Amino acid sequence: MFGAAVGCVAWSLTVWARAYCDAGYDAGGRFELTFLLPVVVGVEALVGLAAWAIGQRLLLRPRTAVRVSLSTLLVVVATVGPAWWFFASRGTLDGYPGDSGLCPANNVPPQWPGWIPA
């Protein structure tokens, strides 16, 4: 469930960045992003489920709180990593000529926090 939500957020951020910078948001780019929506959400859901299962199997004997904490940490790390990569590689098309004039040449929107690499 968490993985699918992270996939939706990553896809939404990617669409927003492309639309804002007008880089890769032509008909072909919108088709690509529409095609990638179920792929990203499905892959993120599977990654989250696999990370949760691995966390449950790693510690069979400890208390429930430790198992839940480890599983939660693994799910967050395993889903946020690929979502971040998806945004950085598909959302900010470095060097793609954007027409909006609102973004620099690397097509990272100015609202994106500088402490999060993209």
Side-chain angles (χ1 to χ4, degrees):
M1 182 76 135
F2 181 78
V6 169
C8 285
V9 169
W11 184 83
S12 297
L13 278 174
T14 301
V15 170
W16 169 76
R18 279 195 182 185
Y20 186 83
C21 295
D22 197 24
Y25 201 63
D26 52 357
R30 284 193 303 270
F31 175 76
E32 171 196 11
L33 292 174
T34 302
F35 174 75
L36 286 176
L37 172 62
V39 174
V40 170
V41 171
V43 166
E44 286 284 349
L46 289 176
V47 166
L49 183 62
W52 178 80
I54 289 170
Q56 292 293 310
R57 295 291 293 168
L58 281 177
L59 299 171
L60 292 176
R61 302 230 184 247
R63 288 187 228 157
T64 305
V66 174
R67 289 178 66 192
V68 170
S69 298
L70 177 66
S71 296
T72 303
L73 180 66
L74 283 175
V75 167
V76 169
V77 169
T79 56
V80 170
W84 187 3
W85 172 84
F86 180 73
F87 174 76
S89 66
R90 304 305 317 149
T92 58
L93 303 174
D94 190 19
Y96 193 94
D99 296 334
S100 71
L102 299 172
C103 297
N106 63 359
N107 290 321
V108 176
Q111 298 91 342
W112 188 255
W115 55 273
I116 303 176

